[in-house]
């Protein structure tokens, strides 16, 4: 059985992943329902859970801010840098837990952010390029090379998990230690 704390965490993750287009508004509604079933109480949460799935794409926008506020969870504007960094951390957590493959994490990160959008994501985008390069040349990629690359991605995922919330760390060797915590531009 899911604990109230786990249910709230799952709702947070669903909201963050919805904010970047990884999950659907229906996933947010389902997570709200699961939170209620786990014993989390709140009228705004109940309103969010009561959104019909066929109307979730439009109705979640109205019900979500109050439900998050009621639970003490942050609200991330869709496609904001903050939502992107939070989503990257959610997916990094899933990769470290074995719920998402390292290759899937690197691929999603590269497709979502490219090499320039989110400095925190750049190392994973570069590792995705390395995965792509494994398939080129006269020899098939070895399982050893793939395993080594998977290990690098997981190490990067762990590093991402240790970056402070709201801070986008740069990883360029010339900028080591610098952070960008400024507003979304």
């Amino acid at each position: 059985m899911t604990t109230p704390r786990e249910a709230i965490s799952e709702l947070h993750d669903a909201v963050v992943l919805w904010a970047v287009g990884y999950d659907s508004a229906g996933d947010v509604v389902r997570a709200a329902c699961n939170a209620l079933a786990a014993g989390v109480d709140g009228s705004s949460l109940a309103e969010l859970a009561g959104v019909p799935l066929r109307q979730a794409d439009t109705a979640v926008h109205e019900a979500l801010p109050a439900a998050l506020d009621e639970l003490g969870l942050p609200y991330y504007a869709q496609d904001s840098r903050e939502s992107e960094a939070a989503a990257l951390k959610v997916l990094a957590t899933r990769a470290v837990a074995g719920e998402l493959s390292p290759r899937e994490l690197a691929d999603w990160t590269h497709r979502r952010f490219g090499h320039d959008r989110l400095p925190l994501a750049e190392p994973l985008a570069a590792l995705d390029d390395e995965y792509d390069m494994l398939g080129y040349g006269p020899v098939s990629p070895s399982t050893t090379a793939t395993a080594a690359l998977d290990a690098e991605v997981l190490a990067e995922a762990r590093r991402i998990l240790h970056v402070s919330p709201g801070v986008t760390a740069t990883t360029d060797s010339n900028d080591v230690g610098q952070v960008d915590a400024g507003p979304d531009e």
Side-chain angles (χ1 to χ4, degrees):
M1 173 146 210
T2 303
T3 68
R5 179 177 283 202
E6 291 168 335
I8 290 171
S9 178
E10 289 170 11
L11 176 60
H12 170 267
D13 292 356
V15 169
V16 167
L17 294 176
W18 164 76
V20 298
Y22 187 90
D23 278 348
S24 71
D27 293 318
V28 172
V29 172
R30 284 184 202 89
C33 290
N34 292 341
L36 286 175
V40 179
D41 193 22
S43 59
S44 295
L45 177 63
E47 183 181 334
L48 179 61
V51 169
L53 289 177
R54 68 183 171 281
Q55 297 171 357
D57 288 336
T58 56
V60 161
H61 291 280
E62 295 172 23
L64 187 59
L68 294 177
D69 185 55
E70 182 174 77
L71 297 172
L73 294 174
Y75 175 78
Y76 299 104
Q78 285 187 285
D79 296 318
S80 67
R81 295 285 170 111
E82 292 81 13
S83 68
E84 291 173 340
L88 181 60
K89 287 186 175 198
V90 167
L91 294 179
T93 299
R94 289 182 180 181
V96 169
E99 299 168 11
L100 183 70
S101 77
R103 177 65 173 122
E104 290 170 317
L105 175 61
D107 178 61
W108 176 82
T109 302
H110 195 188
R111 283 184 292 110
R112 175 69 191 186
F113 305 116
H115 288 279
D116 299 323
R117 173 126 177 103
L118 187 67
L120 182 63
E122 168 51 29
L124 286 174
L127 289 167
D128 183 54
D129 288 338
E130 290 187 37
Y131 276 114
D132 292 342
M133 301 220 5
L134 284 178
Y136 290 103
V139 181
S140 303
S142 71
T143 55
T144 304
T146 302
L149 200 46
D150 287 350
E152 284 186 63
V153 169
L154 291 175
E156 184 57 28
R158 285 184 195 90
R159 185 194 68 78
I160 287 168
L161 294 176
H162 290 93
V163 173
S164 298
V167 176
T168 315
T170 61
T171 55
D172 185 315
S173 60
N174 296 327
D175 296 328
V176 172
Q178 294 183 5
V179 294
D180 172 13
D184 193 34
E185 294 181 45

